[in-house]
Amino acid sequence: MIKVTWDQGFKRIYKKKIRNDKDLKKRFWDAIELFSKEPFHHRLRTHKLTGKLEGLWAFSVAFDCRVIFTYLDKNEVLLIDIGGHDEVY
């Protein structure tokens, strides 16, 4: 099982973009639960990033909502950003 952590920056972005959207909030927490159990589940479309975000990873919450994260170790990740494709890439 993967331990999911986030910092103050991610909390601020979450409050701004997710907290007041009930549908997206439910999708986010469902995705986090699935990610913590099975990080490479096909529904999440987890993938490595390239270019200026090389070394980071992303998974999908909804059609146009992605979470950017990094591995702290093999069992823990740090959530970095959340938003639409054009916002986070």
Side-chain angles (χ1 to χ4, degrees), residues 22-78:
K22 286 184 181 184
D23 181 52
L24 194 54
K25 184 177 182 180
K26 180 177 179 352
R27 287 176 183 240
F28 172 80
W29 288 109
D30 288 347
I32 291 294
E33 182 177 348
L34 179 58
F35 179 80
S36 71
K37 293 177 184 172
E38 194 175 339
F40 291 95
H41 189 281
H42 69 276
R43 194 180 96 200
L44 297 171
R45 298 191 311 260
T46 306
H47 60 283
K48 277 186 185 180
L49 301 177
T50 60
K52 67 178 184 169
L53 297 176
E54 188 171 358
L56 300 178
W57 293 73
F59 68 85
S60 295
V61 171
F63 174 72
D64 193 33
C65 184
R66 290 166 178 81
V67 173
I68 307 297
F69 68 95
T70 188
Y71 279 94
L72 298 176
D73 62 39
K74 71 178 191 170
N75 294 317
E76 184 175 9
V77 299
L78 174 66

